[in-house]
Amino acid sequence: LLFNNLAICQSNFDSLITILDDPSINDQSKKETLWNLSHDENSPKEVIYYANELISLSNSENDSLFLFRGYYALGNAYMQLGNLSKALLTYFDCLKIAEKLNRQKAKGDAYGAIGDLHSLNRDYNNSTIYYKKAINQLRISNDSISLASVLLNTGYNYYLTDQFDSALFYFGESKEIFDKKKYKPGVAYANGNIGLVLAKEGSFQEAEKVFSTAIEELSKYEDYYAITEYQIEIASIYLQDQNVDLFFKNINDALILSLNLGFKERIRDASLMLSQVYRSHQDFKNAFKFQSQYINYRDSINNEETIRNMANLQTEYEVGQKQAELDLV
């Protein structure tokens, strides 16, 4: 699972709303509160609201750091909603601001986010290039949590391309950092991703335990983006064990959550699995229903227009970088 370094906590979120509603709050405190709300809100649509508020306020005060943070949160929300072209454009705005600030952590976060998007778009070559740029910047920055996050996502990239030894290597380094920092959400993600490899290698019982532990931990933070993927993976394990009742429980829980929160990737994956199961049971009505839903969501994420738009944005950014270098010379 791709990991964004978000400190999710509902009780903290409620207290932040109280602060934001205080009419005496100054602009600096308001920016900090909006940034924290962008972290603590689990609904991408709500994050878009808080991020845009932060961007507007930061622009009015020429505050580049909080402007970067606003665009970063906005990009994360677009990514979770499956709007990859908008997310990429937003992350390039982040990267431009980070380069002006000349902050290694900001550049590392932006490179890592762009790597995530290319991975979601199944462009694993560009994804790996940006992950390596991110790792180089974050090792210099001494931000170990952000470094561990990108290492985890690099491992996930290798998992998606069936390079399991490399995936486990990156998951292991990531988990070691998260453990050292006692960052429990990160540890849960690392364990969950290790579970993905275990499942692929046929260690189903061990993988199921790992997923269940990860879900239990991430439930404390209401991190539904992660939980829904692990629920889908557990459903897959139950399907292979021919435990139909537990398969449907997990896959339907994941699908309902994903539909409510707009997680297009999860809706796509759950719909595909359900269509295949219904077809195998000769329930062609439901098979057609979920196959149609799968195609709709698949095409909304990875259609030709999205791929073309992302390629154009990538080219425009690289051309702009080269021109900036020439102007500097």
Side-chain angles (χ1 to χ4, degrees):
L1 178 70
L2 292 175
F3 175 68
N4 283 303
N5 179 21
L6 303 177
I8 301 162
C9 176
Q10 188 61 40
S11 60
N12 188 41
F13 174 80
D14 294 337
S15 65
L16 289 169
I17 289 290
T18 303
I19 294 170
L20 192 62
D21 289 340
D22 184 349
S24 66
I25 186 174
N26 61 43
D27 284 345
Q28 183 64 25
S29 296
K30 189 172 184 179
K31 285 183 290 188
E32 289 171 359
T33 303
L34 286 166
W35 167 234
N36 287 324
L37 282 167
S38 299
H39 268 35
D40 292 350
E41 174 57 62
N42 289 296
S43 167
K45 293 176 183 178
E46 291 296 319
V47 171
I48 289 172
Y49 170 77
Y50 294 122
N52 278 322
E53 288 289 299
L54 179 56
I55 290 167
S56 177
L57 183 57
S58 301
N59 262 324
S60 68
E61 297 190 342
N62 295 316
D63 188 332
S64 295
L65 178 57
F66 275 98
L67 187 61
F68 169 87
R69 291 174 174 174
Y71 278 120
Y72 186 77
L74 186 62
N76 287 342
Y78 285 141
M79 181 175 68
Q80 289 192 345
L81 289 171
N83 196 330
L84 304 191
S85 295
K86 269 192 176 181
L88 185 60
L89 186 61
T90 307
Y91 285 143
F92 277 139
D93 286 335
C94 281
L95 186 54
K96 290 171 187 174
I97 297 167
E99 286 167 345
K100 287 180 182 177
L101 288 168
N102 196 28
R103 292 171 65 110
Q104 278 80 27
K105 171 177 165 40
K107 285 190 279 188
D109 287 342
Y111 282 136
I114 294 168
D116 294 344
L117 277 177
H118 283 305
S119 182
L120 288 172
N121 202 39
R122 300 174 186 174
D123 182 353
Y124 302 118
N125 182 49
N126 264 322
S127 179
T128 300
I129 289 170
Y130 276 95
Y131 281 148
K132 288 182 178 178
K133 288 182 178 182
I135 289 168
N136 289 338
Q137 292 294 323
L138 292 169
R139 287 199 192 279
I140 298 169
S141 76
N142 295 319
D143 184 335
S144 54
I145 296 295
S146 292
L147 172 61
S149 303
V150 176
L151 289 168
L152 187 69
N153 291 351
T154 305
Y156 188 65
N157 223 34
Y158 284 116
Y159 161 76
L160 291 172
T161 53
D162 295 332
Q163 299 178 68
F164 299 133
D165 288 342
S166 295
L168 288 172
F169 173 81
Y170 281 96
F171 292 158
E173 185 180 358
S174 173
K175 184 182 176 183
E176 186 178 337
I177 295 170
F178 285 136
D179 271 327
K180 187 175 180 181
K181 290 292 182 179
K182 295 182 169 52
Y183 189 65
K184 291 182 179 180
V187 173
Y189 269 83
N191 283 331
N193 281 10
I194 290 168
L196 294 174
V197 177
L198 292 171
K200 282 284 188 180
E201 293 180 338
S203 301
F204 299 124
Q205 288 186 338
E206 191 177 352
E208 182 191 346
K209 290 178 183 176
V210 170
F211 288 139
S212 297
T213 302
I215 287 171
E216 183 180 356
E217 181 62 33
L218 292 169
S219 294
K220 299 174 186 176
Y221 307 95
E222 299 180 357
D223 188 350
Y224 301 122
Y225 192 66
I227 289 167
T228 47
E229 176 158 0
Y230 295 143
Q231 284 175 326
I232 292 170
E233 292 297 331
I234 289 177
S236 178
I237 290 170
Y238 283 130
L239 184 60
Q240 292 180 67
D241 285 344
Q242 298 184 341
N243 191 329
V244 178
D245 290 341
L246 285 175
F247 162 76
F248 277 113
K249 180 187 183 306
N250 281 275
I251 202 73
N252 286 328
D253 285 350
L255 183 57
I256 290 166
L257 265 175
S258 300
L259 285 166
N260 286 338
L261 293 169
F263 297 153
K264 289 184 180 179
E265 283 180 274
R266 308 291 183 260
I267 300 167
R268 176 198 63 192
D269 296 343
S271 298
L272 175 61
M273 196 175 293
L274 282 165
S275 73
Q276 292 169 339
V277 171
Y278 280 120
R279 187 182 296 112
S280 70
H281 286 81
Q282 297 189 334
D283 182 346
F284 299 116
K285 180 180 178 181
N286 275 315
F288 177 77
K289 170 189 169 183
F290 285 106
Q291 178 71 10
S292 299
Q293 185 165 276
Y294 159 70
I295 291 169
N296 287 337
Y297 279 92
R298 179 200 65 187
D299 290 349
S300 72
I301 298 171
N302 295 110
N303 61 31
E304 290 183 8
E305 184 180 357
T306 297
I307 293 167
R308 186 168 56 252
N309 284 343
M310 290 183 68
N312 289 340
L313 289 169
Q314 179 76 31
T315 301
E316 287 170 12
Y317 172 75
E318 290 172 355
V319 169
Q321 285 293 96
K322 289 177 182 176
Q323 185 60 52
E325 291 170 7
L326 289 172
D327 291 343
L328 185 62
V329 171

